[in-house]
Amino acid sequence: MIKMHDLTKSYRTADVETTALSHINVEVKAGEFIAIMGPSGCGKSTLLNVLGMLDTPDSGGYLFAGEDVAGYSENRLADIRKENIGFIFQSFNLVDELSVAENVMLPLLYQKVPPGERKERVQAVLERVGIAHRADHRPQQLSGGQQQRVAVARAVVTNPKLILADEPTGNLDSTNGEEVLDLLNQLNDDGTTVIMVTHDQSHADHASRIINMLDGRVLSENVVGMKQAGEVRHA
C-alpha cells in the first residue's frame, strides 16, 4: 500500500536548517496496524504528515497504492487524501460552531456525496462509535472522550483505506484512551490500515508492528503487541 524509499525532509529558516526526516525507508502493507514511537522531536509527526500528503518530501520516493506521489501537485494530493485517508488528531480539531453530525458530515460535503446518502452514512458511523445520542450537540458540550469519538467518526465516514492518528489518546484519561484504541482496533479488524503516533508503549502494543524513530531516522522495526504478524489482515 505504501512504500517510502530514501525519503528526506528538512525545514529551513534564515539561519538554521533542521533535518526532520533522513533517508526513511518504510513499507506498509494494506491491513496493518502500525505504531510510530520515539522521543519528542524525532520526526514522528513529520513522517505522519508526509504519509498523509499534508507535507511533501525534499527528496526520495513515496509510492501510495502504486503511484509515486512525491512530486504531485497540491491539488492532486488533496484529491488522493479525500478519497483514501482519514485523520485523527490529538486536539480533536472539531468545529465548535457545528453540531456533532455536521462535523462528521464535512468530509462528505467535500466529496459531494448526495444529501440523502450523507445523512445515512453519518447516522451509521455515529452509531458505530457510540455517539449517535449526541448528534445534535456542539463539541464543547461533550467530554474529551466523546469529542475523540466524533473525530474518529469524521475520519472513517468516507470509508478510507488508511487512518492516520497523531497521539489520538494524548488528551484523554486512561479509560477513554483505551476506548479510542478499541475503536481503532475494530477499524483495523474490518480491513482499514491504521498508522498511529504514540508515546505510550502500552498503546503501541495494540499495533501489529512498531517503528521506533530517533533523530529523523528509523531506528528499528519490531513485530510485537497484541496482534501478531499472522493476524494482520489485508484489505
Side-chain angles (χ1 to χ4, degrees):
M1 182 182 193
I2 288 172
K3 188 172 184 179
M4 291 182 161
H5 174 66
D6 206 27
L7 189 143
T8 64
K9 177 66 181 179
S10 298
Y11 295 102
R12 299 170 182 84
T13 64
D15 302 313
V16 179
E17 177 175 321
T18 302
T19 300
L21 299 175
S22 178
H23 305 288
I24 297 293
N25 293 283
V26 168
E27 188 167 352
V28 179
K29 296 179 181 179
E32 281 196 279
F33 188 156
I34 292 176
I36 302 174
M37 299 192 71
S40 295
C42 72
K44 302 186 301 297
S45 292
T46 300
L47 178 58
L48 206 70
N49 286 339
V50 173
L51 283 164
M53 305 174 208
L54 298 173
D55 207 347
T56 54
D58 296 328
S59 63
Y62 177 15
L63 292 176
F64 185 88
E67 293 185 70
D68 190 349
V69 302
Y72 278 9
S73 68
E74 176 52 38
N75 287 339
R76 178 65 180 130
L77 292 175
D79 288 339
I80 295 174
R81 282 197 303 270
K82 285 189 294 185
E83 295 296 326
N84 295 281
I85 304 174
F87 296 89
I88 304 171
F89 303 98
Q90 178 178 349
S91 56
F92 316 138
N93 286 8
L94 302 176
V95 181
D96 289 338
E97 293 76 20
L98 300 180
S99 70
V100 164
E102 289 167 338
N103 267 279
V104 175
M105 191 177 293
L106 278 176
L108 300 179
L109 292 172
Y110 298 144
Q111 289 190 352
K112 299 180 180 179
V113 175
E117 183 181 347
R118 288 201 304 262
K119 185 175 180 180
E120 290 178 1
R121 288 171 68 172
V122 168
Q123 179 64 27
V125 75
L126 288 177
E127 290 176 357
R128 183 179 186 183
V129 302
I131 202 73
H133 62 295
R134 296 284 194 172
D136 295 327
H137 288 67
R138 299 292 176 88
Q140 59 267 33
Q141 296 175 297
L142 307 180
S143 69
Q146 290 172 328
Q147 289 187 60
Q148 194 60 297
R149 284 176 177 268
V150 177
V152 171
R154 182 185 57 192
V156 304
V157 73
T158 58
N159 299 317
K161 297 181 178 68
L162 172 65
I163 291 288
L164 298 177
D166 193 358
E167 297 280 1
T169 61
N171 286 333
L172 304 178
D173 59 35
S174 58
T175 299
N176 283 309
E178 284 297 324
E179 289 178 355
V180 169
L181 287 167
D182 286 342
L183 286 172
L184 292 177
N185 273 302
Q186 291 170 25
L187 293 168
N188 182 243
D189 288 341
D190 291 340
T192 305
T193 306
V194 177
I195 303 177
M196 174 181 69
V197 164
T198 182
H199 283 96
D200 193 313
Q201 182 64 54
S202 66
H203 293 173
D205 286 341
H206 283 258
S208 55
R209 180 156 56 105
I210 298 175
I211 295 175
N212 292 289
M213 295 188 66
L214 183 67
D215 297 334
R217 294 178 177 270
V218 173
L219 192 63
S220 63
E221 297 187 43
N222 304 299
V223 177
V224 293
M226 297 178 180
K227 296 184 176 184
Q228 296 304 314
E231 297 176 334
V232 176
R233 301 189 180 188
H234 297 270

